[in-house]
Amino acid sequence: MWAIYKKETGAFFRSIMGYLYIAFFLVVSGIYFTAFNLQGGMAEFGYVLGNTTVVLLIVIPVLTMRTLGEEQRQKTDQLLFTAPVGITGIVLGKFLAVFTVFAVPFGVLAFCPLVLSRYGEVLLGQSYGCFVAFLFMGAAAIAVGMFVSSLTDNQILAAVGTFAILLFSYLAHGIFGLAGRGNSQIAEAFSLFRRYYDFVEGVFDVTHLVYDLGVTVLFLYLTVRSVDRRFNRGIYGPVMCGLVLAIVVLSNLIVGKLPVRYTKLDISSDRLYTLSPQTREVAAGLESQVHLYLVAPRGQEDPRLVRLLEQYQSLSGNILAEQVDPLVDPGFLPSYTTDRVSDNSILVVGEERSRLVSNARLYPSSYDYDTGRISTVFDGEGQITSAIHRVVSRSSSRIYLVTGHGETELSEKMEAALDKEGVEYQTLNLTAAGEIPQDAGAVWVNVPVTDLTEGEARTLAGYLEGGGRMLLVTGISGVKLPWLDWVMAAYGLEAVQGMIVEGDGNRSIPSYPNFLLPVIREHGITRPFLETDGLLLLPNAHGIQKSGDVPSSVVREELLVTSEQAVLQRAGSDVILGPFPVAVAASEQTVSGETRIAWFSSSSFLMEEIDEMVGGNNGDLVLNTIGWMTGQDQGISIRPKTTSSPVLRLTAAQAAWWSILFVAAIPVCILGTGIVVCVRRRRRQ
């Protein structure tokens, strides 16, 4: 076999064909490399190879048309097959020779991701994963070409036949899609090239590599049988072909049934398909089945959502993922929702409740006022996990926002976060209602600017004494709030008005000592931030202190505290030395249940621009607090993931230099080398 390999490899490089192919492939790849990476600033190299896929339809027929047909035409096949090498060795030797020539350009292109890494963040794993996928795909195409070459001694017919088969495979998905719905599996079986694009999207799919390897083995065996039948007409030939086909199909089926966490590795930029520990914990705690329905017409599924749902299904036997075609089954969705459902939405169905996650929630968009661009992120995991948590939860997640005292309205971002968390919320006027509803998981008093009335205060106090929960956010104010103070005094807490200024530079924003980065104390609310070394930002906060005699059943805990170097400046020149709690929690076990109160002393810490300065941690802090108050300590605060690739920064001169090198200089050198070799060989003859 190795003698055949050396002979065939040498034949390619003793003629101009091998050099011409390498130069041609490098020129085409270099043009795409220039367009996408050097000028476009795209960090992934996989798109370059993806666009050169169509080149295989041309180069593979040219490389394989002479492999076996030429031996027949020149009548050297009988001499070759009488050599002390088996037919299998001959076929493998020729295959490896063609594959070597095919792979040579990739030795040059392999430097491209390294070049790009000099100018920004490049996902080398994803880029080189695409190299592996492309080589496997090329090997399968070469095997097909060799089989066609073994059927005829006419090189033109061999090239045209190979081109026709590869073109059909290239267009198979579209052809079967036009033929009608329900043909996706047939299209998948014949689509040799489409599989590559999963690697471009950041999934190293072992099942695709097994498919390419199976196609390679099958067509190499068919090539052996095609050649062998002229010298050995064994009756077991068709049976053996069927057996090899069965082995290939069975191998693909077995690998396809393995858990996706072993066969589909996430190599994407922001780990789009890697599920967080929170999701795994939610899945592990499921006691009943949850169905995840991808609502989309057949053939129009969002591949990203399909891959993500596969990951969910692999986590637990209680999670079942499937697709629903609203055109085939128009009566399915109306049984769960009357809303208009957009394609590629997710319907999450539990035993008692269901929740629709629209495509707009999966791909939320926001307008960047600095750049004037609309950016879109992928919030698939956050939305789906929250929906699962919501449909299986038995606890009440409804909170009431107290109104009537100039309270600050929630931002759109906070409203969206509550909805994602599965927290229902509505406003409540204590004077008009006269009581707090029975279904209240908690009440939220958000920065009141005027005091409660006596009746409202007593209503609120009675609710808390019966095991109620309250989230209180206040700010620096010159207005006294005696009735609100009376409610909090029952739990031994009172406000210390005045602005806190940090003396420790590590505990405030540079140049803004009133923008506090407080010390985080251990508590169920704050534990996630301690585990991740997260920062919390409280601007313009006042102090909170313990006061008065309270029953021993009341437990008061500090959540966030300033440093000892902090001072609180009151009106005039009055200054109090720190440290100061700026967030506290209080709880008390009563006959009717456990009272839980959380108090934050910064009126602006939930403003979007403040929250963004600490990566959304302030919003997560409130979500954790609501989860603690409503008995759902397992909060869902999974961040959206970016779908855009990192941007490279090259100057025009740098882009031009690398473009000239890969598009012109290297191909010209290779082609020139080929010309020199061929000229010298002819002179020797």
Side-chain angles (χ1 to χ4, degrees):
M1 181 182 74
W2 294 114
I4 299 296
Y5 169 75
K6 293 178 181 179
K7 171 182 174 295
E8 294 295 326
T9 305
F12 276 106
F13 292 107
R14 283 192 297 270
S15 67
I16 196 65
M17 177 179 289
Y19 300 97
L20 188 61
Y21 154 71
I22 296 171
F24 172 72
F25 197 91
L26 288 177
V27 167
V28 174
S29 302
I31 292 173
Y32 284 119
F33 176 59
T34 299
F36 287 115
N37 301 126
L38 299 180
Q39 295 182 352
M42 187 177 292
E44 288 97 345
F45 188 75
Y47 289 100
V48 173
L49 296 179
N51 281 274
T52 59
T53 300
V54 68
V55 177
L56 298 187
L57 304 182
I58 301 173
V59 299
I60 295 299
V62 173
L63 290 176
T64 60
M65 65 183 184
R66 300 179 58 187
T67 50
L68 294 168
E70 182 72 5
E71 302 286 355
Q72 299 178 48
R73 189 179 68 82
Q74 295 182 355
K75 306 302 181 183
T76 58
D77 53 342
Q78 295 187 24
L79 178 63
L80 180 65
F81 296 138
T82 56
V85 181
I87 296 176
T88 301
I90 293 172
V91 172
L92 287 179
K94 288 178 173 287
F95 166 78
L96 291 176
V98 177
F99 182 76
T100 298
V101 176
F102 169 76
V104 167
F106 296 92
V108 177
L109 295 177
F111 289 97
C112 292
L114 298 178
V115 169
L116 298 177
S117 65
R118 298 179 57 185
Y119 306 104
E121 181 183 356
V122 176
L123 298 173
L124 296 179
Q126 183 172 341
S127 296
Y128 289 113
C130 291
F131 274 94
V132 173
F134 202 91
L135 291 173
F136 269 75
M137 181 176 62
I142 291 170
V144 172
M146 287 187 61
F147 171 67
V148 176
S149 178
S150 72
L151 300 177
T152 177
D153 60 358
N154 190 306
Q155 295 183 32
I156 302 301
L157 287 179
V160 172
T162 302
F163 174 79
I165 293 175
L166 296 182
L167 180 63
F168 172 77
S169 179
Y170 188 82
L171 301 175
H173 198 275
I175 292 173
F176 286 102
L178 292 175
R181 304 183 189 281
N183 294 313
S184 59
Q185 291 184 343
I186 300 176
E188 194 71 15
F190 288 98
S191 298
L192 178 63
F193 299 95
R194 188 177 178 85
R195 287 170 166 77
Y196 168 78
Y197 292 97
D198 283 350
F199 292 83
V200 177
E201 293 296 324
V203 179
F204 192 92
D205 197 330
V206 177
T207 62
H208 293 345
L209 300 183
V210 172
Y211 171 87
D212 291 334
L213 184 61
V215 171
T216 304
V217 171
L218 175 62
F219 276 92
L220 287 178
Y221 181 79
L222 292 176
T223 302
V224 171
R225 298 309 308 171
S226 174
V227 173
D228 183 67
R229 67 181 181 180
R230 291 187 288 271
F231 302 96
N232 181 9
R233 300 182 180 275
I235 60 174
Y236 65 92
V239 175
M240 290 299 297
C241 289
L243 180 60
V244 172
L245 177 61
I247 293 174
V248 170
V249 173
L250 184 61
S251 299
N252 278 271
L253 291 176
I254 292 174
V255 174
K257 292 297 181 181
L258 295 176
V260 294
R261 61 180 178 272
Y262 301 126
T263 60
K264 298 185 179 182
L265 309 179
D266 188 359
I267 55 176
S268 59
S269 58
D270 205 13
R271 294 294 185 264
L272 295 178
Y273 317 110
T274 300
L275 300 180
S276 66
Q278 282 183 293
T279 295
R280 297 179 184 278
E281 188 171 343
V282 170
L286 291 177
E287 298 177 355
S288 58
Q289 286 191 342
V290 176
H291 293 261
L292 307 180
Y293 295 103
L294 173 59
V295 182
R298 295 288 178 185
Q300 300 181 29
E301 310 92 341
D302 182 345
R304 188 175 289 138
L305 294 177
V306 172
R307 300 185 195 106
L308 187 62
L309 292 184
E310 288 176 344
Q311 296 290 339
Y312 272 93
Q313 187 164 257
S314 69
L315 291 181
S316 170
N318 283 327
I319 298 180
L320 304 176
E322 56 187 292
Q323 182 180 351
V324 172
D325 188 337
L327 301 178
V328 176
D329 189 1
F332 179 81
L333 291 175
S335 61
Y336 293 101
T337 179
T338 57
D339 296 338
R340 187 172 180 269
V341 181
S342 58
D343 289 346
N344 286 300
S345 297
I346 304 291
L347 178 65
V348 181
V349 180
E351 285 187 339
E352 300 178 358
R353 293 186 292 273
S354 65
R355 178 167 173 78
L356 177 68
V357 182
S358 67
N359 187 261
R361 291 183 183 275
L362 296 170
Y363 290 94
S365 300
S366 61
Y367 182 80
D368 191 331
Y369 291 93
D370 294 330
T371 62
R373 297 179 179 178
I374 296 177
S375 60
T376 300
V377 294
F378 181 56
D379 196 21
E381 184 191 1
Q383 293 290 342
I384 295 172
T385 300
S386 295
I388 293 174
H389 188 247
R390 183 169 182 175
V391 300
V392 301
S393 177
R394 295 185 176 88
S395 303
S396 172
S397 296
R398 174 170 294 179
I399 64 174
Y400 286 87
L401 305 175
V402 175
T403 61
H405 316 91
E407 287 86 356
T408 301
E409 295 183 355
L410 301 184
S411 66
E412 292 184 1
K413 182 178 179 180
M414 178 52 63
E415 290 180 347
L418 290 174
D419 184 72
K420 175 181 174 181
E421 189 80 7
V423 177
E424 299 178 5
Y425 57 93
Q426 61 187 74
T427 59
L428 173 66
N429 187 303
L430 290 174
T431 299
E435 62 179 359
I436 295 176
Q438 294 288 333
D439 62 351
V443 295
W444 185 349
V445 183
N446 192 33
V447 196
V449 295
T450 61
D451 196 18
L452 305 174
T453 66
E454 180 180 353
E456 290 174 329
R458 295 191 181 281
T459 298
L460 186 57
Y463 165 72
L464 293 175
E465 290 172 0
R469 285 86 192 276
M470 181 176 70
L471 169 59
L472 174 62
V473 180
T474 57
I476 300 173
S477 173
V479 178
K480 294 187 178 298
L481 307 174
W483 282 111
L484 180 60
D485 294 341
W486 175 77
V487 172
M488 300 308 297
Y491 299 92
L493 298 172
E494 68 176 1
V496 183
Q497 283 296 337
M499 181 179 292
I500 297 176
V501 177
E502 260 294 353
D504 184 349
N506 294 320
R507 288 298 165 191
S508 64
I509 297 294
S511 303
Y512 294 91
N514 56 316
F515 278 50
L516 311 179
L517 298 172
V519 178
I520 302 174
R521 302 295 194 197
E522 173 68 28
H523 190 275
I525 294 174
T526 58
R527 188 171 298 118
F529 307 105
L530 291 172
E531 293 173 351
T532 60
D533 292 327
L535 295 176
L536 297 169
L537 177 61
L538 275 71
N540 303 326
H542 65 78
I544 304 172
Q545 68 180 10
K546 298 178 181 179
S547 66
D549 296 328
V550 295
S552 59
S553 57
V554 175
V555 178
R556 297 170 293 181
E557 299 173 275
E558 298 175 347
L559 302 178
L560 306 175
V561 185
T562 68
S563 73
E564 295 183 353
Q565 286 76 38
V567 296
L568 187 145
Q569 297 178 344
R570 287 187 164 184
S573 58
D574 191 9
V575 174
I576 304 177
L577 301 180
F580 305 98
V582 290
V584 297
S587 61
E588 181 182 20
Q589 190 65 47
T590 68
V591 176
S592 303
E594 185 181 16
T595 301
R596 291 186 174 184
I597 300 172
W599 186 0
F600 299 94
S601 66
S602 171
S603 59
S604 56
F605 83 113
L606 286 179
M607 294 176 61
E608 291 190 15
E609 55 268 32
I610 299 298
D611 193 20
E612 289 175 358
M613 292 176 69
V614 286
N617 282 347
N618 285 358
D620 289 346
L621 176 66
V622 171
L623 295 179
N624 291 349
T625 302
I626 293 174
W628 171 73
M629 290 192 301
T630 58
Q632 298 184 24
D633 295 335
Q634 177 59 45
I636 308 300
S637 55
I638 301 170
R639 301 287 174 80
K641 301 176 181 180
T642 179
T643 58
S644 59
S645 62
V647 178
L648 303 176
R649 304 295 181 186
L650 289 86
T651 65
Q654 291 169 335
W657 193 92
W658 290 112
S659 177
I660 292 172
L661 179 65
F662 283 98
V663 176
I666 295 178
V668 167
C669 289
I670 291 174
L671 190 59
T673 302
I675 293 174
V676 171
V677 170
C678 292
V679 170
R680 288 182 176 179
R681 185 168 177 270
R682 287 188 178 182
R683 287 178 178 177
R684 290 173 183 173
Q685 294 176 346

